[in-house]
Amino acid sequence: MTSPGDMADADAVVIGAGSNGLVAANHLADRGWNVIVLEATSWPGGAVRSSELVEPGFVADHCSAFYPLAAGSRALLDLRLEDHGLRWVHSPQVLAHPHADGTCPVLSRDLDTTATSLDMLGPGDGDAWRALYQRWVDLEPHLLDTFLAPMPPVRGASQLVRRIGPKELARFARFCLLPVRRMGEEEFVGDGAKRLLAGAALHADMSPEAALSGFLGWLLCSLGQGVGFPVPEGGAQSVTSALVRRLDAIGGRVLCDSAVGRVVVERGRAVGVELADGSPVRARRAVVADVNAPMLYLELVGADLLPPKVVADIRRFHWDDATFKVDWTLDGPIPWSASEARMAGTVHVTEGVDALTVTASELARGLVPRDPFLLVGQQSMTDPTRQPAGKETAWAYTHVPRRIRGDAGCELTGDWGKDDVARFASRMETKIEALAPGFRSLVRGRYVQSPLGFQAENPNSDLGAISGGTSQLHQQLVFRPIPGLGRADTPIKGLFLGSSSAHPGGGLHGAAGRNAAQAAVAADRRATVISRVRRRT
Ligand SMILES: Cc1cc2nc3c(=O)[nH]c(=O)nc-3n(C[C@H](O)[C@H](O)[C@H](O)COP(=O)(O)OP(=O)(O)OC[C@H]3O[C@@H](n4cnc5c(N)ncnc54)[C@H](O)[C@@H]3O)c2cc1C
């Protein structure tokens, strides 16, 4: 990392050292650009960060923790972060979904294990999953290339269409648009696969009845089947550290405690930024913003420099739900009654698809869920570097409304004050205790992040929204972040949006960062050609 004295100007200024900002910076520096990354907080990483959050000797992930998309994304794979100290580890099973009735379907990297588990809850469901997973195998990597590339994803999409075949195209499009409830009903007889798919879809702000939720569930479960839900040894910070080390090795610079106050625009072109303390940093070729779209457009650029239609669109930007998260340090592993859940790095805690529909309906009506859907991570299971021998760490997050109109559990005020936070954390713990009697007695310490806590820690976070904007269909692809081309370009020349607010959205895949870097390079090339032609004529 660099110090304030080193800062003068650069080919590119990247605002924000989140994963997307660091990926953008690495891709630009690989092309020989001189890059400086300005980070508002005292640490790089944004939502990819870990530290001894709860107590010394126990490493906890502040936000994200397990990374199926990272294992399939060229934007990250091409950076070869393993050469910069990153090591991925896997839990014995990928994902489990225990139920009070004792059943517990699992997703395993071993296809036979997954199939056997699903067959136990619905005879024939093992083969049904094999068929669905085979569809993934046949289409991947064209599918991921299409999904993660900038719009229009010409190369990936044409390969995908060729692979699917014209006769099957409409059928496949229908499959992708299915709500996850419907997909489960069409493909499976038992509850196991339905629970796994629907729970996976609801990692993001979907309801089981939302168009595209089936695709999201299938995507995450297929990635889990193929590459698992890997976690970085040492915690999420290891990914960030590898990105920073790599950038450092190729001459890029990261400057922390350097909040950008505004993007400097001259004659319709971004020419640099001004820090919150007023100091300028010139950008000779591009400014890439790893911050959310409303912040970039309305705060860092300003509505008066933008076309009125863009301002109107950005005011309609649809945020995803707020997030509430608890980190625990534990005197031992969570004692799940279902032995399968003791082997899985990630566990869904909810009754099933109907319960998810109730939760989604409460969220839609602004009610804090009575029975929140928990995504539990026990990442320490296969990573002994994170805690003292015999001890454990775990985390769980759940979606809560952005604007609270009431509490379906009838005990919270909705102000996320001390009492609300304690009560809701206790509601979450009660749910785990019901499936893992004795859990509470193992808790040594806890750290709770309410929506306001996320925002206090990461200025890019809006109430802890996981995906930097809804993952629903109306704000995906060419609708992300606003209706347009679905590209990183903005109405300001030389300014590119490279955060999860841009296509393809949330998750650690680095694609938004890489897409922004590619757009910056392409625009710079175009500008160079035009100025050469002008000089000649
Ligand atoms: C609770 C939670 C759990 C999640 N779990 C997972 C998971 O398990 N797996 C997964 O793949 N994804 C997960 N995600 C999503 C994933 O972490 C994010 O989509 C991704 O990390 C976003 O990266 P980003 O670079 O776009 O933004 P960020 O990580 O938010 O980075 C933006 C950076 O910009 C900085 N910044 C903001 N304003 C300024 C300014 N004015 N000047 C300078 N710097 C500024 C911020 O401090 C921050 O460092 C989770 C997210 C959350 C919140």
Side-chain angles (χ1 to χ4, degrees), residues 35-76:
V35 184
I36 184 158
V37 184
L38 300 170
E39 166 55 43
T41 66
S42 306
W43 48 81
V48 183
R49 179 172 177 231
S50 46
S51 73
E52 294 176 345
L53 194 58
V54 190
E55 63 173 302
F58 293 76
V59 176
D61 295 328
H62 291 231
C63 294
S64 58
F66 58 92
Y67 299 120
L69 287 164
S73 166
R74 296 266 34 116
L76 280 174

Side-chain angles (χ1 to χ4, degrees), residues 15-21 38-41 43-48 62-69 258-261 290-291 295 300 323 325 395 397 454 457-461 464-468 498-501 505-509:
I15 307 171
S19 53
N20 279 310
L38 300 170
E39 166 55 43
T41 66
W43 48 81
V48 183
H62 291 231
C63 294
S64 58
F66 58 92
Y67 299 120
L69 287 164
S258 301
V260 169
D290 177 20
V291 298
M295 182 194 280
L300 299 186
T323 305
K325 174 168 170 284
W395 86 199
Y397 77 70
F454 280 109
E457 182 171 300
N458 175 353
N460 184 44
S461 171
I466 302 280
S467 304
S499 72
S500 60
S501 268
L508 177 68
H509 44 65

Side-chain angles (χ1 to χ4, degrees), residues 324 412-424 450 452:
F324 190 103
L412 308 181
T413 64
D415 67 357
W416 293 128
K418 223 167 125 214
D419 287 350
D420 267 11
V421 165
R423 287 197 181 114
F424 195 63
S450 75
L452 303 176

